[in-house]
Amino acid sequence: MRNTTFLLPIVVLIAVGVLSSLFIVDEREKVLVLRFGQIKQEITEPGLGFKVPLLDEVVRYEDRILSVETDLIEVTPADERRLEVDAFVLYRIANIRQFRQALGAGGEREAAVQLQGILNSQIRTVLGSRGVTSNTILSPERSALMNLIRDQANSRASALGLSIVDVRLRQTNLPLQNFDATLQRMIAERDREATDERARGREAAQRVTAQADRTYEEILSEARRDARIIEGEADAERNRIFAEAYGQDAEFFEFYRSLTAYENSLKGANSTMVMSPDSEFFNYLQSDTGRASE
């Protein structure tokens, strides 16, 4: 009984010592084991870890993707149209040993401060570089600019043991004091573009009209030429037919021509002719035989 009473505290102390030397590493985190502030162990895989009780300290860091939002900053693109921009960054702790050595005990809070400074600097550098205008920032090229900011910021953040996953520009606004002036300038630019576009449209319309007029004259000229050719061929054919008919029966041909002349001259209800009855025009009207009178 006395031995049991004596051994029980020892067993308890041993159990407490064993339990205090064990710790669990979650799959969502990475762990550093420190002894008097010096890194003794780095654990990046989930599982069970060991430490020396009372001497070692376990410091846990997130292995998941973290985010930081920047403050609203003012940038001046190449077209001198000032903009207010803010962004957010997604990052993760890539090297916890380097992260600890660079930022000390500040951890993620100090990392957020450092990242804000890096991002603000790179946003001003990229968006203020030559050839980048406010229209570029607001166009589909915005994605390429964000990727450039991410790459340049990542090269600086890597010295802190951080890896930047993505950078996104959120707001891109005009300062209130510049809004009206910028709006009026944009309206003037759009009016100028509309005027230029209308002038180009009128010029194109004149070219099309001139081409249409020229084509019309060419077609009309060709049609008139073809009509004269057809008329000439028709006259020639008519004359040939007349000549052929005259050759077959000259007397009948003369009679037919007289009837045609009578018809053409006496058209209308009130047609009147004043001619001598002895005129050759009435030879067939005066004849009983249907032949011209002598």
Side-chain angles (χ1 to χ4, degrees), residues 218-232:
E218 291 174 354
I219 293 174
L220 185 60
S221 176
E222 292 176 359
R224 287 173 176 169
R225 182 198 60 194
D226 294 342
R228 286 193 293 269
I229 292 174
I230 294 172
E231 288 176 357

Side-chain angles (χ1 to χ4, degrees), residues 64-68 89-92 108 115 162-165:
R64 294 175 293 184
I65 294 177
L66 305 172
S67 65
V68 171
V89 58
L90 300 178
Y91 74 98
R92 69 189 320 156
E108 296 168 10
L115 281 176
L162 302 175
S163 173
I164 294 181
V165 178

Side-chain angles (χ1 to χ4, degrees), residues 23-292:
F23 60 91
I24 297 175
V25 179
D26 191 271
E27 61 184 2
R28 296 167 296 181
E29 62 185 11
K30 299 177 181 179
V31 169
L32 285 179
V33 178
L34 306 179
R35 181 175 299 171
F36 305 117
Q38 300 298 317
I39 299 174
K40 302 301 293 184
Q41 191 177 2
E42 177 182 343
I43 303 175
T44 58
E45 297 296 331
L48 192 63
F50 298 91
K51 67 173 182 174
V52 177
L54 303 178
L55 296 180
D56 292 344
E57 176 189 2
V58 176
V59 181
R60 302 175 185 271
Y61 297 100
E62 283 281 356
D63 194 29
R64 294 175 293 184
I65 294 177
L66 305 172
S67 65
V68 171
E69 298 181 2
T70 68
D71 297 329
L72 198 64
I73 62 173
E74 189 172 285
V75 298
T76 305
D79 57 357
E80 301 296 329
R81 185 181 298 169
R82 292 186 299 169
L83 298 173
E84 290 182 342
V85 178
D86 68 347
F88 73 90
V89 58
L90 300 178
Y91 74 98
R92 69 189 320 156
I93 302 173
N95 188 324
I96 56 175
R97 181 182 294 271
Q98 189 176 8
F99 180 77
R100 176 72 184 192
Q101 292 171 345
L103 301 178
E108 296 168 10
R109 181 174 57 188
E110 182 62 24
V113 174
Q114 295 290 334
L115 281 176
Q116 282 198 3
I118 292 173
L119 276 178
N120 290 346
S121 173
Q122 295 308 313
I123 289 173
R124 285 193 172 95
T125 300
V126 173
L127 300 188
S129 59
R130 178 178 299 178
V132 178
T133 65
S134 56
N135 291 333
T136 306
I137 298 172
L138 299 175
S139 72
E141 297 180 38
R142 178 190 184 97
S143 179
L145 295 175
M146 291 188 293
N147 291 339
L148 183 59
I149 293 171
R150 178 199 62 198
D151 295 341
Q152 293 187 3
N154 189 56
S155 64
R156 293 184 55 186
S158 60
L160 304 177
L162 302 175
S163 173
I164 294 181
V165 178
D166 197 11
V167 173
R168 292 290 155 183
L169 298 177
R170 297 197 308 170
Q171 300 182 69
T172 307
N173 301 324
L174 292 169
L176 293 178
Q177 61 271 25
N178 296 340
F179 182 79
D180 291 337
T182 302
L183 180 60
Q184 293 303 320
R185 185 165 63 247
M186 292 175 65
I187 291 174
E189 290 177 357
R190 297 302 177 269
D191 287 342
R192 178 180 54 78
E193 292 174 0
T195 301
D196 293 343
E197 195 66 28
R198 284 193 292 267
R200 286 192 292 269
R202 286 192 293 269
E203 181 182 354
Q206 290 174 356
R207 286 198 303 269
V208 172
T209 301
Q211 179 64 31
D213 290 343
R214 183 169 63 252
T215 302
Y216 165 77
E217 293 297 334
E218 291 174 354
I219 293 174
L220 185 60
S221 176
E222 292 176 359
R224 287 173 176 169
R225 182 198 60 194
D226 294 342
R228 286 193 293 269
I229 292 174
I230 294 172
E231 288 176 357
E233 292 174 350
D235 290 341
E237 181 66 15
R238 182 192 62 183
N239 294 333
R240 186 190 64 77
I241 294 172
F242 280 166
E244 184 179 347
Y246 183 80
Q248 292 179 0
D249 191 339
E251 183 66 26
F252 177 78
F253 183 75
E254 290 294 338
F255 175 70
Y256 176 78
R257 290 188 63 186
S258 295
L259 292 180
T260 302
Y262 295 155
E263 180 183 3
N264 292 333
S265 62
L266 297 176
K267 284 182 178 180
N270 298 318
S271 297
T272 302
M273 294 181 62
V274 179
M275 298 181 66
S276 172
D278 299 332
S279 173
E280 293 181 359
F281 186 73
F282 297 109
N283 283 344
Y284 285 98
L285 292 178
Q286 295 174 356
S287 173
D288 294 335
T289 61
R291 296 178 176 274

